[in-house]
Amino acid sequence: MSNNVTLNQFLIQQQRNVLEASGTFTLLLNTLATACKAIAHQVKQGDLIDVLGSAGSENVQGEVQKKLDVITHDIMVHALQSSGQVAGLASEEEEEFLTIPGEYPKGKYLVLFDPLDGSSNIDINMTVGTIFSILRAPESLEPSLGDFLRKGSEQVCAGFVLYGPATMMILTTGQGVNGFTLDQEIGEFMLTHPNIRIPEATQEFAINMSNQRFWEAPIKRYVDECVLGDTGPRGKNFNMRWIASMVAEVYRILTRGGIFMYPYDIRDPSKPGRLRLMYEANPMGFIVEQAGGLCSTGRARILELQPSELHQRVPVILGSKQEVERVESYFQSQG
Ligand code: AHG
Ligand code: MN
Ligand code: MN
């Protein structure tokens, strides 16, 4: 615990350093924190309030929606649309971006989010989370699709909230990464993990091994070498994890290092990857880079990709610098 600094105090302190700051950004983060506290409450009640299981519907990605995918989407949409701090929003669970209904004022930000990441884990009581990415709205406050399709390097802020044994918010505004833990007694996020740094070296990798036969050669080579351990070219043993919840994997990597990969695979050639660029790869990439790690497709830096669609998929390789660089070098030497 770092002198009992709340998320609010932390943001106000940061805002003092920005001359033209109007306070809207701090209010927006407050809106997001409150929405995520409401989500944490739903997630933690689980079967007591009948929120688990399938909603019986499909989202734009053709994935079966869980009840909590729908509930968390609704909480985020209502909180943001009524906040006065955003001019538009986009969610994993909604095909088109959303504007602000006439009865509410508009604000100068756009928010893109994955309301519930790792939702396949919800029925087995494992960690899930909410991921968000904040961009500047156009001056007119009338956003078009092009205003959302901005490179990850243009994000003003990115964060995620982890609904695990403790509820945590991990945040970057481009000045490093800070972690806050929800104090359930007082209902505030407290700064518990200031200036998070990812160790550059690691002996832990995360990938869904069941897709091995569909990977490209550089990924096969990298994982084969890890698995060979001290009998192979790496000369050291590796450990493996796969939680199937990106928020939990990224948090582990922020805590003790590691590499996470959801690479391109040939299962469905129409899909360039599993994860979505705008509300998964970009915000996580911003956070990981701000903590000293790297985030890549294997061939290019994620934050420099020019998006073409709201729900675009992308290969993701992120984590400890030395390991991501190694994977990139395997792609380069393959040509
Ligand atoms: P979502 O629940 O928002 O659809 O995202 C789940 C993602 C990500 O969190 C995780 O890393 C990956 O899907 C797991 O995929 P597999 O089930 O293919 O392992
Ligand atoms: Mn997700
Ligand atoms: Mn999701």
Side-chain angles (χ1 to χ4, degrees):
M1 186 74 84
S2 165
N3 295 329
N4 297 329
V5 177
T6 66
L7 173 65
N8 250 323
Q9 288 169 327
F10 176 86
L11 292 167
I12 290 167
Q13 186 65 45
Q14 268 204 336
Q15 199 180 289
R16 284 198 194 112
N17 304 330
V18 184
L19 250 65
E20 75 278 21
S22 64
T24 311
F25 179 74
T26 301
L27 288 173
L28 172 56
L29 258 294
N30 247 295
T31 299
L32 288 167
T34 305
C36 290
K37 285 183 218 171
I39 294 174
H41 176 68
Q42 298 274 326
V43 169
K44 281 172 196 290
Q45 294 282 92
D47 261 331
L48 294 173
I49 53 170
D50 192 30
V51 292
L52 304 187
S54 166
S57 49
E58 275 192 2
N59 68 8
V60 54
Q61 341 265 339
E63 296 162 343
V64 175
Q65 288 179 305
K66 300 280 185 183
K67 282 185 202 167
L68 268 171
D69 284 321
V70 178
I71 292 167
T72 55
H73 166 84
D74 289 346
I75 290 173
M76 292 289 283
V77 169
H78 177 72
L80 289 166
Q81 282 188 325
S82 60
S83 72
Q85 295 126 23
V86 299
L89 43 139
S91 164
E92 178 191 352
E93 304 301 331
E94 188 85 46
E95 183 157 11
E96 313 283 348
F97 71 84
L98 296 170
T99 51
I100 308 305
E103 70 252 47
Y104 301 119
K106 292 176 191 142
K108 59 184 178 183
Y109 295 103
L110 302 177
V111 180
L112 300 94
F113 56 89
D114 176 352
L116 196 65
D117 178 63
S119 57
S120 70
N121 280 323
I122 194 69
D123 295 339
I124 57 167
N125 200 17
M126 294 272 288
T127 296
V128 290
T130 300
I131 310 173
F132 57 87
S133 164
I134 303 178
L135 295 168
R136 278 188 204 291
E139 293 271 320
S140 65
L141 305 188
E142 301 287 345
S144 63
L145 181 58
D147 295 310
F148 285 87
L149 300 180
R150 306 262 282 281
K151 290 183 185 175
S153 56
E154 292 185 43
Q155 291 171 101
V156 174
C157 169
F160 66 93
V161 175
L162 209 57
Y163 313 111
T167 298
M168 293 192 68
M169 180 184 280
I170 310 299
L171 201 63
T172 186
T173 56
Q175 301 164 59
V177 179
N178 291 283
F180 303 82
T181 304
L182 181 62
D183 182 331
Q184 307 278 354
E185 294 291 311
I186 58 170
E188 291 275 2
F189 281 102
M190 309 300 297
L191 178 63
T192 47
H193 296 63
N195 195 22
I196 297 173
R197 302 298 296 170
I198 300 175
E200 285 196 11
T202 179
Q203 290 177 226
E204 197 161 67
F205 69 98
I207 192 163
N208 185 338
M209 290 289 285
S210 69
N211 300 325
Q212 192 167 23
R213 68 190 185 282
F214 305 117
W215 297 336
E216 292 183 280
I219 299 292
K220 278 188 182 147
R221 175 181 168 193
Y222 176 80
V223 173
D224 283 351
E225 290 179 0
C226 289
V227 172
L228 282 170
D230 59 12
T231 67
R234 301 300 305 269
K236 57 182 184 180
N237 291 326
F238 279 76
N239 194 5
M240 197 206 85
R241 289 285 183 274
W242 187 250
I243 308 175
S245 182
M246 191 192 199
V247 281
E249 318 265 12
V250 170
Y251 186 65
R252 185 186 63 251
I253 289 171
L254 288 167
T255 308
R256 65 179 191 215
I259 182 167
F260 165 92
M261 293 172 283
Y262 214 121
Y264 168 76
D265 68 51
I266 57 162
R267 270 177 300 172
D268 179 352
S270 71
K271 287 183 186 164
R274 162 88 168 84
L275 298 170
R276 278 59 55 108
L277 175 61
M278 302 307 295
Y279 40 81
E280 290 177 323
N282 270 345
M284 290 310 204
F286 190 19
I287 292 166
V288 165
E289 286 198 1
Q290 282 292 316
L294 291 176
C295 183
S296 171
T297 64
R299 295 180 166 91
R301 182 177 170 227
I302 296 267
L303 297 190
E304 279 165 18
L305 298 178
Q306 176 57 56
S308 55
E309 288 170 45
L310 212 44
H311 300 285
Q312 179 173 347
R313 294 179 190 257
V314 69
V316 176
I317 295 151
L318 63 77
S320 291
K321 190 165 178 286
Q322 289 177 10
E323 295 302 305
V324 178
E325 280 173 347
R326 177 178 284 268
V327 177
E328 284 179 326
S329 77
Y330 290 1
F331 274 95
Q332 269 156 25
S333 59
Q334 178 199 236

